[in-house]
Amino acid sequence: MAFDQFLKKSSLALLAAGLLASSVATAQAKTSLLVYTAIETDAMKLYKDGFEKANPGIEIRWVRDSTGVVTAKLLAEKANPQADVVVGVAASSLALLSQEGMLQAYEPKGFKLLTAAYSDAARPPAWVGMNVWGAAICFNTVEAKKLNLPKPESWKDLAKPIYKGKISMPHPASSGTGYLDVTAWLQTMGDAEAWKYMDALHENIAQYTHSGSKPCKQAGSGEFPIGISFEFRAHQVQRSGAPIDMIFPKEGLGWDIEASALMKGSKNADAAKKLLDWMASKEANQIGSNWWAIVAYPGLAKKVEGIPDTYEKMLVQNDFNWAAKNRERILNEWSKRYNGKAEAK
């Protein structure tokens, strides 16, 4: 081989090696954010892709589970927090973490453009709202006709003996949807009447699931004709072709807010703040508006088929700090009374 050819090949090899080393160094230089979340799996990729495109030096590593499980995990790690950020976890859970001194208050860029009622009232806020989700009943019209079941119109209807063994509901210790149901009944009915109601409802429950989505999926498949769930999943199951009617009980709807927060002690606080900035952006809220009837950024929500225009007015008054402060007491009492019908884990 001629000397000049040797030099040329050697130079190319060194260039290739240099490019590879540069690529590896770039990859290694990325900041990896550990993000605990309870958002629906349908949305995870869109949020990750959108954020990482806007922030190419940061990558999201999701740890996903239902709201109750994520909340319990965070509390268990209180002495040695692992997560940098929490995204899409119930505001009632984040209020509890705030009360435990586990969150670092932060006002993201663009925060003043968001609807103030859907974020923490403190300034700077401990948590920032993304979207509202509210209770709904999924009612399988085909199975109900076979069983001669009338269509319920209210929460109290579900306690009637005709529905015995025909209802599934999310477990409030595992599911944020289950917890918003229980806390709404307690706040609107009062303690004594709410527990009396839940005792009667329990007689008709076939199973308490560990997911807020599952009761609606069960209703859609006909496993149980009635599932207490939430409006996003009800709409998705209905859109898939299942013979589901969405019912919004006339007493009003329990609700919560998927929200985001910065964990105190995050080793990647600067990158974490960039994620919170992006989650408060119009772009991120537009992603949420693909599914949710109410998002924190005003004017972006779209009309969702089957969800009435008066939906926002159906939401009952909800004190997130009360729900957080009383969480342990409520869940202990609920489990003592009803845990015998919990779905096996």
Side-chain angles (χ1 to χ4, degrees):
M1 181 186 295
F3 186 65
D4 58 340
Q5 288 180 311
F6 171 76
L7 283 176
K8 187 176 180 181
K9 286 193 174 183
S10 298
S11 297
L12 288 171
L14 286 168
L15 177 62
L19 289 172
L20 178 62
S22 175
S23 174
V24 169
T26 300
Q28 289 175 339
K30 276 194 175 185
T31 300
S32 182
L33 282 179
L34 187 60
V35 183
Y36 285 12
T37 188
I39 58 175
E40 294 298 308
T41 52
D42 318 51
M44 289 172 69
K45 183 176 181 345
L46 291 177
Y47 285 124
K48 178 178 170 68
D49 289 351
F51 171 72
E52 290 179 356
K53 184 178 178 182
N55 297 272
I58 308 171
E59 63 179 1
I60 290 176
R61 286 192 297 128
W62 295 117
V63 172
R64 190 210 176 271
D65 217 312
S66 58
T67 294
V69 175
V70 172
T71 306
K73 183 175 175 63
L74 286 161
L75 289 169
E77 294 172 354
K78 180 180 177 180
N80 184 26
Q82 301 300 304
D84 293 300
V85 188
V86 182
V87 167
V89 170
S92 54
S93 289
L94 295 183
L96 174 60
L97 299 185
S98 180
Q99 290 171 9
E100 293 289 323
M102 296 170 62
L103 301 182
Q104 179 65 55
Y106 174 66
E107 182 176 307
K109 293 175 183 175
F111 176 75
K112 290 179 174 61
L113 297 175
L114 303 180
T115 302
Y118 297 139
S119 289
D120 180 31
R123 294 294 178 270
W127 53 267
V128 176
M130 296 162 49
N131 42 259
V132 171
W133 89 98
I137 297 169
C138 296
F139 182 72
N140 188 312
T141 55
V142 172
E143 292 301 313
K145 189 173 181 180
K146 289 180 191 174
L147 298 166
N148 200 28
L149 294 177
K151 184 176 177 177
E153 295 181 356
S154 66
W155 293 118
K156 290 195 174 177
D157 281 349
L158 294 184
K160 292 177 179 176
I162 195 169
Y163 297 115
K164 188 174 181 67
K166 303 295 190 293
I167 304 171
S168 63
M169 173 184 164
H171 194 302
S174 307
S175 161
T177 304
Y179 192 62
L180 69 81
D181 289 323
V182 172
T183 53
W185 295 331
L186 287 165
Q187 289 182 79
T188 56
M189 298 180 191
D191 243 50
E193 281 303 308
W195 290 114
K196 183 179 176 183
Y197 167 69
M198 285 186 272
D199 285 346
L201 177 65
H202 178 68
E203 294 300 310
N204 296 341
I205 295 290
Q207 185 181 70
Y208 295 106
T209 69
H210 295 296
S211 155
S213 292
K214 190 168 183 178
C216 197
K217 292 177 180 177
Q218 290 173 323
S221 68
E223 184 177 352
F224 305 114
I226 300 171
I228 298 173
S229 190
F230 58 103
E231 93 292 349
F232 162 81
R233 187 52 63 195
H235 177 256
Q236 294 293 97
V237 171
Q238 188 182 64
R239 197 167 69 173
S240 74
I244 287 293
D245 274 359
M246 280 189 277
I247 299 170
F248 300 97
K250 60 187 180 183
E251 300 100 326
L253 312 176
W255 59 288
D256 211 323
I257 303 167
E258 283 195 331
S260 301
L262 173 63
M263 292 298 296
K264 188 176 285 186
S266 166
K267 298 176 181 67
N268 301 294
D270 289 343
K273 288 175 181 178
K274 288 182 180 179
L275 176 56
L276 292 173
D277 291 343
W278 188 84
M279 292 307 303
S281 71
K282 187 174 184 179
E283 181 184 353
N285 277 260
Q286 280 175 326
I287 291 173
S289 73
N290 288 318
W291 299 286
W292 302 102
I294 304 170
V295 295
Y297 199 109
L300 291 185
K302 304 168 186 173
K303 169 67 179 168
V304 180
E305 185 181 355
I307 297 180
D309 294 336
T310 56
Y311 174 67
E312 196 166 3
K313 294 178 181 176
M314 297 178 183
L315 306 178
V316 301
Q317 284 201 325
N318 192 358
D319 184 338
F320 293 115
N321 288 319
W322 176 88
K325 188 176 181 180
N326 289 279
R327 182 181 178 86
E328 185 175 2
R329 173 184 69 82
I330 291 168
L331 292 179
N332 284 343
E333 181 64 24
W334 190 95
S335 295
K336 184 174 70 176
R337 291 172 181 250
Y338 314 127
N339 212 46
K341 290 185 180 179
E343 173 188 26
K345 289 188 177 179

